[in-house]
């Protein structure tokens, strides 16, 4: 099959979150399975000639290569994309995001013809690429070149939909007939993700449980009704983990490499982490790690409530993250109150993240909702046992054999699960068994890519 993957961020070129990890890894896994794949994204300021080998195609199109020969095309437009941020700056979202990403979508469709790439499948990600099926079905499909193309839309988080004021609709170049309950209208505004859901042939999200959850009021963020209507073409496929990046056997950021067969070496990473974080060196004290955006979605409301009790449970807590200033402050206060218990690192720091995954005993991820989640998959790989809230992708990847789940989203629910985990931690044989199970889990991209190929085949057959 000929596949074109379209997204607003792709590793290694630009990243704000898990979306970039997925779009950087899935195309390579698809290609490995024998599919023909290209990727198209905007060319932001960070995609420089000095950092990457860029080849020119035309005045406003260039490309680079990932893997051996997979082309990533860049749509250039200096007034829209040559900025420091991808979607916004310290003042919030850019005011012209609708113009920026509608431009990206139309230009990407034109590009397919210019480079003579008659894709069987357009695989779109999130609201930024959601206008592609809208334009395709309402404008482009009438032209022969585009008439057989099918669209698969992946939703990475229903919390982000691309919602704009009604007045902006005119900028899309679409008929006003499409501004209505059966089109892009959403409570009087324009909703780009809604357009993608209506006009795509298949829709998927990044875990089976989240695919069900988004059809409910609590997780659908207003789109649950529409998603229920489209449930026949809605499914969930777990994200994979890039095991070439996350592998304790060869990880260059950690002090001691180890595997499921040399688990006893993991303790050197714990010692190193305690030392770096200024925590008392003691291998018998359980170390809890957190690597996360500091946001309510990630469970920081419940964690903040539980913090003072948690700090008296005979453990150490290493936190790495940035985000909501409210949580910066709460965690700062707690770390000052409990020195020697909390190590707080308010920054984005990839090497330290690796050290935390490798050196902790327990990985805390009490997300209120979690479409898929990467943190728990990484920690499994490093024999660090996840303690998670039973939701979304956490529910699909963590079970009693490889971690701890709690299903009552509250301070008490979290503390009860932690109490249990600490009890098991004291039983060395049981803990070693958990670690081995965790490290032997396989969430590689090859499995997920196979599922995407089946989904594409279904879309093509429609
Ligand atoms: P998100 O909803 O933020 O995409 P995921 O769990 O899917 O959450 O992915 C988050 C990714 O970002 C993981 O690879 C995690 O290790 C990384 N990460 C998050 N915060 C930080 C940080 N402060 N420093 C380094 N890496 C981070």
């Amino acid at each position: 099959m000929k596949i074109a993957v379209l997204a607003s961020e792709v590793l290694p070129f630009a990243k704000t979150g898990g979306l970039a990890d997925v779009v950087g890894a899935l195309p390579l896994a698809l290609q490995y399975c024998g599919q023909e794949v290209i990727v198209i994204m905007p060319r932001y300021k960070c995609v420089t000639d000095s950092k990457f080998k860029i080849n020119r195609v035309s005045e406003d199109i260039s490309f680079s290569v990932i893997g051996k020969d997979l082309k990533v095309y860049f749509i250039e437009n200096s007034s829209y994309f040559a900025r420091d941020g991808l979607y916004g700056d310290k003042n919030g979202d850019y005011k012209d995001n609708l113009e920026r990403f509608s431009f990206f979508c139309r230009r990407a469709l034109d590009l397919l013809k210019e480079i003579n790439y008659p894709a069987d499948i357009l695989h779109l990600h999130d609201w930024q690429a959601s206008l592609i099926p809208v334009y395709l079905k309402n404008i482009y499909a009438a032209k022969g070149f585009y008439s057989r193309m099918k669209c698969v839309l992946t939703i990475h988080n229903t919390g982000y939909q691309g919602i704009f004021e009604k007045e902006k609709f005119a900028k899309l170049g679409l008929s006003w007939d499409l501004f209505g309950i059966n089109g892009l209208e959403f409570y009087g505004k324009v909703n780009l993700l809604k357009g993608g859901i209506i006009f795509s042939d298949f829709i998927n999200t990044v875990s089976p449980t989240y695919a069900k959850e988004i059809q409910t009021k609590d997780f659908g963020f207003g789109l649950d009704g529409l998603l229920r209507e489209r449930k026949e073409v809605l499914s969930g496929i777990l994200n994979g983990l890039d095991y070439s990046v996350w592998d304790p056997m060869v990880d260059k950021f950690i002090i001691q490499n180890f595997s499921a067969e040399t688990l006893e070496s993991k303790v050197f990473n714990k010692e190193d982490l305690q030392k770096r974080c200024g925590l008392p060196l003691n291998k018998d004290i359980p170390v809890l790690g957190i690597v996360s955006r500091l946001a309510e979605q990630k469970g920081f409301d419940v964690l903040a409530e539980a913090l003072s009790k948690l700090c008296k449970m005979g453990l150490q807590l290493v936190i790495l993250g940035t985000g909501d200033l409210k949580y910066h402050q709460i965690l700062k206060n707690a770390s000052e109150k409990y020195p020697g218990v909390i190590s707080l690192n308010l920054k984005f720091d990839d090497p330290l993240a690796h050290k935390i995954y490798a050196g902790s005993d327990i990985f805390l991820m009490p997300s209120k909702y979690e479409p898929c989640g990467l943190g728990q998959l990484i920690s499994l790989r490093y024999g660090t046992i996840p303690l998670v809230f039973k939701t979304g992708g956490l529910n699909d990847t963590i079970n009693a054999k490889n971690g701890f789940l709690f299903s009552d989203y509250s301070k008490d629910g979290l503390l009860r699960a932690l109490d249990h985990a600490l009890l098991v931690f004291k039983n060395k044989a049981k803990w070693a068994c958990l670690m081995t199970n965790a490290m032997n889990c396989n969430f590689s991209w090859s499995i997920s890519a196979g599922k995407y190929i089946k989904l594409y085949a279904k879309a093509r057959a429609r």
Side-chain angles (χ1 to χ4, degrees):
M1 267 181 291
K2 267 182 147 54
I3 300 151
V5 178
L6 300 105
S8 56
E9 52 183 274
V10 183
L11 265 181
F13 306 105
K15 168 170 172 166
T16 68
L19 168 64
D21 295 274
V22 173
V23 189
L26 172 63
L28 290 169
L30 292 169
Q31 193 189 44
Y32 189 76
C33 296
Q35 306 300 317
E36 197 180 336
V37 193
I38 61 165
V39 178
I40 308 179
M41 66 177 284
R43 184 162 179 185
Y44 304 106
K45 198 171 168 186
C46 56
V47 185
T48 58
D49 287 289
S50 57
K51 268 204 284 191
F52 304 102
K53 185 172 173 355
I54 309 280
N55 308 279
R56 184 135 301 282
V57 176
S58 64
E59 206 179 321
D60 68 335
I61 303 294
S62 51
F63 78 87
S64 189
V65 165
I66 54 171
K68 203 162 72 111
D69 57 1
L70 199 153
K71 284 184 179 165
V72 178
Y73 285 92
F74 302 109
I75 309 271
E76 300 178 359
N77 180 318
S78 55
S79 66
Y80 283 155
F81 302 127
R83 303 180 187 178
D84 287 328
L86 269 53
Y87 316 123
D89 56 23
K90 61 179 186 338
N91 301 316
D93 288 346
Y94 293 134
K95 298 277 177 285
D96 58 352
N97 273 343
L98 175 137
E99 291 90 326
R100 297 171 76 225
F101 289 102
S102 61
F103 171 81
F104 166 65
C105 291
R106 292 199 76 148
R107 189 66 192 87
L109 282 166
D110 290 337
L111 175 63
L112 294 174
K113 183 125 192 266
E114 286 162 25
I115 57 172
N116 191 25
Y117 192 83
D120 299 301
I121 297 294
L122 304 182
H123 186 175
L124 330 155
H125 294 265
D126 278 349
W127 68 264
Q128 294 91 339
S130 280
L131 282 167
I132 286 173
V134 182
Y135 287 131
L136 183 76
K137 300 287 163 67
N138 293 285
I139 298 174
Y140 286 75
K143 307 174 195 171
F145 181 80
Y146 297 91
S147 60
R148 293 164 64 90
M149 293 185 186
K150 303 289 183 193
C151 290
V152 172
L153 169 68
T154 299
I155 303 173
H156 293 258
N157 190 333
T158 44
Y160 302 90
Q161 301 182 359
I163 298 174
F164 301 92
E165 293 305 321
K166 178 182 175 179
E167 294 65 48
K168 288 259 181 182
F169 186 79
K171 308 241 180 195
L172 296 179
L174 292 165
S175 156
W176 274 97
D177 295 345
L178 287 170
F179 188 80
I181 182 93
N182 295 319
L184 280 68
E185 197 247 316
F186 185 73
Y187 300 101
K189 296 190 175 187
V190 188
N191 184 325
L192 303 190
L193 186 66
K194 186 181 175 210
I197 294 171
I198 291 174
F199 289 103
S200 290
D201 298 283
F202 274 85
I203 305 145
N204 83 294
T205 180
V206 289
S207 68
T209 296
Y210 192 60
K212 287 193 199 120
E213 287 173 344
I214 60 174
Q215 297 177 51
T216 66
K217 212 162 179 284
D218 284 350
F219 297 92
F221 291 96
L223 290 176
D224 40 296
L226 173 63
L227 288 163
R228 281 196 300 277
E229 267 175 43
R230 300 229 66 203
K231 68 170 187 277
E232 300 306 322
V233 293
L234 171 61
S235 61
I237 299 176
L238 270 179
N239 287 336
L241 184 65
D242 189 342
Y243 286 143
S244 67
V245 175
W246 301 104
D247 180 357
M249 288 231 282
V250 294
D251 193 324
K252 291 199 170 54
F253 293 119
I254 65 177
I255 197 152
Q256 175 71 56
N257 291 120
F258 63 99
S259 69
E261 282 68 49
T262 57
L263 264 178
E264 64 286 355
S265 298
K266 183 172 156 70
V267 72
F268 296 111
N269 294 300
K270 177 169 178 173
E271 197 176 66
D272 179 53
L273 184 66
Q274 287 175 323
K275 216 183 287 171
R276 277 171 194 278
C277 293
L279 297 169
L281 295 189
N282 184 338
K283 66 177 175 11
D284 294 323
I285 295 185
V287 173
L288 273 60
I290 293 179
V291 181
S292 179
R293 280 188 288 121
L294 304 184
E296 198 167 306
Q297 184 213 325
K298 298 291 179 182
F300 282 91
D301 52 348
V302 154
L303 190 68
E305 283 178 38
L307 214 48
S308 57
K309 277 210 170 147
L310 188 146
C311 287
K312 294 175 196 131
M313 289 169 87
L315 50 77
Q316 296 174 348
L317 177 60
V318 180
I319 303 171
L320 171 63
T322 57
D324 201 330
L325 294 181
K326 178 173 120 188
Y327 295 117
H328 281 224
Q329 199 51 52
I330 291 173
L331 295 174
K332 235 168 132 199
N333 294 346
S335 69
E336 281 160 14
K337 195 164 168 201
Y338 299 101
V341 175
I342 298 183
S343 159
L344 182 62
N345 306 274
L346 296 172
K347 56 183 174 175
F348 194 95
D349 185 338
D350 193 40
L352 181 57
H354 283 249
K355 290 180 180 41
I356 294 174
Y357 287 118
S360 306
D361 298 298
I362 296 171
F363 189 73
L364 208 50
M365 197 164 171
S367 305
K368 185 178 279 179
Y369 77 93
E370 192 59 76
C372 175
L374 285 177
Q376 87 280 17
L377 301 183
I378 301 171
S379 55
L380 285 174
R381 198 54 166 183
Y382 284 72
T384 298
I385 306 305
L387 189 159
V388 305
F389 179 57
K390 191 173 161 51
T391 184
L394 299 173
N395 180 49
D396 292 329
T397 53
I398 305 305
N399 54 54
K401 291 204 172 87
N402 65 7
F404 302 96
L405 291 119
F406 64 104
S407 46
D408 162 22
Y409 188 78
S410 68
K411 166 185 134 190
D412 291 335
L414 170 62
L415 289 172
R416 265 197 304 274
L418 187 54
D419 236 357
H420 175 56
L422 296 183
L423 202 66
V424 180
F425 180 75
K426 288 195 181 126
N427 183 329
K428 290 203 164 38
K430 266 195 185 166
W431 198 260
C433 184
L434 267 178
M435 285 165 84
T436 309
N437 291 345
M439 293 189 79
N440 286 332
C441 289
N442 183 356
F443 293 106
S444 68
W445 265 112
S446 58
I447 296 173
S448 302
K451 292 187 177 163
Y452 272 107
I453 291 168
K454 282 197 185 130
L455 182 64
Y456 299 154
K458 261 169 54 184
R460 205 178 166 196
R462 263 171 87 84

